[in-house]
Amino acid sequence: MTTPPNLAGPKPAMRPARPEFSSGPCAKRPGWTPENLRNAVLGRSHRSKLGKARLKEAIDRTREVLEVPDDFLIGIVPGSDTGAVEMAMWSMLGPRPVQLLAFESFGKDWVTDVTKQLKIEAEVLDAPYGGLPDLSKVRKDADLVFTWNGTTSGVRVPNGDFIAADREGVVICDATSAAFAQDLAWDKLDVVTFSWQKALGGEAAHGVLILSPRAVARLESYVPAWPMPKLFRMTSKKDGANKVTLDLFEGATINTPSMLAVEDAVDALKWAASIGGLAEMKRRADANLGVLEAWAQKTAWVSFLAADPATRSNTSVCLKVIDPAVTSLAEDAQAEFAKKLAGLLEKEGVALDVGGYRDAPPGLRIWCGATVEASDLDALTPWLDWAFATVSAELTAA
């Protein structure tokens, strides 16, 4: 279908300098080049003195930038954030009742793993995309598994106040799109996981697993009834007792890591520290969200999937089309409209990989973490309007 001449208006004059707005892997940090990886420990064993030192550097820099408490353990694990969450669930769940918060796709995945694979009768507190479950129902006597920031829904918990200070269970927090952009309540969290490819803009395949002293106590006092794959094992017998393998949290990874990816993570962490650490990372993400909020406030055809600003993500920002001509369409036609919108932006080279998640309501998802420049978002918003007008014109012509 051909767009009527000039119906959508001329293309905007400005273009984003970097069109990478994917929600994972995310944009590399500003100024990144492959030359930054020239000191990577390549062609050497990751268990060599130099290899272990670089892995330890990644751990130490993570502690510094993310402001992780000194008595928490930090490990680099296989399988990205998913692997880190799975390690925690398979190793710790079982001795207490379990609750799960499910308000986006990954939280729903953890429900499947706990109830179908581990076969634990858990209580699921869920909510549709765009909302949060009733957090007042979280129990202090139960273990809790939840995502701090819903990468596929654009919704985050506002704080950790819903978790009891005198909790009896362990709290497992998937923080992969929250870490380095939002305040994590370390006093309320026992397991925190993330992956380098999110807010750090690093390479994929590796996860980071952070354990509180309470999490370590659970690992050492509880042995699950099910077989434990090698990749999930974090303890070993010592003097007849079950002890956490501390080497795993000093750079001795369970399996062979990519030292190129490790070097890239170290580079990103150095950049984060150089700009002002966590405070500046959060400020940049908040400012990026602010660009889209200011634009959406004056734009009739779009709205945030997360209606409540207090629960709106400042990283994975999810938008929905609210124009009546589109919302009156059948569900599959609305999805097709959003797909065309994202496709046109990619064709023009102004926004890559910004389609909404496949299970979420039709719309766009724009990454606003600290590695994205506010100036690129400023340049993007006129293109969003132009793309909407162009696809709408096709709809009218049809």
Side-chain angles (χ1 to χ4, degrees):
M1 191 71 62
T2 303
T3 304
N6 300 321
L7 191 58
K11 294 179 182 179
M14 295 291 294
R15 305 173 69 87
R18 296 194 303 161
E20 291 86 15
F21 298 106
S22 163
S23 290
C26 301
K28 309 298 286 184
R29 57 103 166 162
W32 184 92
T33 72
E35 179 64 16
N36 299 331
L37 310 183
R38 64 186 178 278
N39 293 324
V41 183
L42 304 180
R44 295 288 308 274
S45 169
H46 63 292
R47 301 197 187 283
S48 68
K49 184 176 181 180
L50 187 59
K52 289 182 69 174
R54 191 71 92 251
L55 287 158
K56 182 64 163 55
E57 181 180 359
I59 290 171
D60 291 344
R61 288 186 180 278
T62 296
R63 187 182 302 280
E64 175 192 1
V65 175
L66 198 53
E67 300 180 4
V68 179
D70 292 341
D71 56 351
F72 281 47
L73 302 179
I74 303 174
I76 297 168
V77 302
S80 192
D81 174 68
T82 300
V85 175
E86 296 284 11
M87 285 178 70
M89 294 194 302
W90 281 68
S91 299
M92 298 184 193
L93 298 183
R96 282 188 172 274
V98 176
Q99 289 185 308
L100 298 106
L101 304 185
F103 55 93
E104 50 87 51
S105 62
F106 291 100
K108 296 178 190 297
D109 286 342
W110 309 145
V111 170
T112 298
D113 289 348
V114 171
T115 60
K116 303 298 184 184
Q117 306 303 320
L118 298 180
K119 301 187 185 303
I120 294 174
E121 292 187 8
E123 180 184 8
V124 179
L125 304 177
D126 58 9
Y129 280 86
L132 281 176
D134 184 352
L135 300 180
S136 69
K137 293 183 178 180
V138 171
R139 297 159 45 185
K140 73 174 185 177
D141 65 324
D143 292 336
L144 176 67
V145 181
F146 78 105
T147 53
W148 189 281
N149 183 93
T151 309
T152 62
S153 69
V155 176
R156 61 172 166 177
V157 296
N159 50 54
D161 293 351
F162 64 96
I163 302 170
D166 60 344
R167 66 191 182 283
E168 299 163 15
V170 296
V171 176
I172 299 173
C173 174
D174 173 357
T176 197
S177 56
F180 302 101
Q182 299 166 18
D183 286 313
L184 300 175
W186 293 107
D187 60 326
K188 301 291 185 70
L189 306 176
D190 299 304
V191 177
V192 174
T193 69
F194 67 89
S195 57
W196 293 331
Q197 76 244 30
K198 294 295 187 182
L200 289 175
E203 292 303 295
H206 299 74
V208 175
L209 176 69
I210 304 176
L211 305 179
S212 76
R214 297 178 81 256
V216 171
R218 170 65 65 86
L219 287 171
E220 295 185 341
S221 64
Y222 167 65
V223 178
W226 42 80
M228 189 68 65
K230 177 184 177 181
L231 288 181
F232 292 175
R233 296 176 200 158
M234 292 182 277
T235 62
S236 57
K237 288 291 184 181
K238 185 177 182 180
D239 299 326
N242 211 36
K243 293 294 183 181
V244 166
T245 307
L246 293 177
D247 285 355
L248 299 178
F249 304 93
E250 294 292 330
T253 55
I254 292 175
N255 73 331
T256 305
S258 163
M259 296 307 294
L260 200 62
V262 170
E263 192 70 20
D264 195 48
V266 169
D267 173 73
L269 288 163
K270 287 180 178 178
W271 169 77
S274 73
I275 64 171
L278 182 60
E280 178 61 11
M281 294 278 279
K282 291 188 296 184
R283 189 205 66 76
R284 285 174 63 95
D286 287 343
N288 288 342
L289 170 62
V291 171
L292 293 184
E293 285 182 323
W295 164 74
Q297 190 171 16
K298 61 183 181 182
T299 304
W301 64 267
V302 74
S303 184
F304 290 90
L305 190 54
D308 183 358
T311 66
R312 189 174 294 160
S313 172
N314 65 348
T315 56
S316 54
V317 178
C318 296
L319 303 170
K320 60 182 179 179
V321 178
I322 60 172
D323 185 80
V326 178
T327 57
S328 63
L329 299 173
E331 190 173 323
D332 59 343
Q334 292 185 51
E336 182 62 22
F337 185 94
K339 183 178 179 180
K340 287 182 177 180
L341 200 59
L344 182 56
L345 292 165
E346 180 153 352
K347 181 180 179 182
E348 292 292 333
V350 294
L352 308 178
D353 311 317
V354 294
Y357 191 72
R358 61 180 179 269
D359 294 333
L364 301 175
R365 182 170 55 146
I366 301 171
W367 185 258
C368 286
T371 59
V372 171
E373 299 281 24
S375 58
D376 286 330
L377 289 162
D378 270 324
L380 173 63
T381 54
W383 283 96
L384 295 176
D385 288 325
W386 175 85
F388 173 77
T390 300
V391 179
S392 294
E394 293 183 9
L395 184 66
T396 301

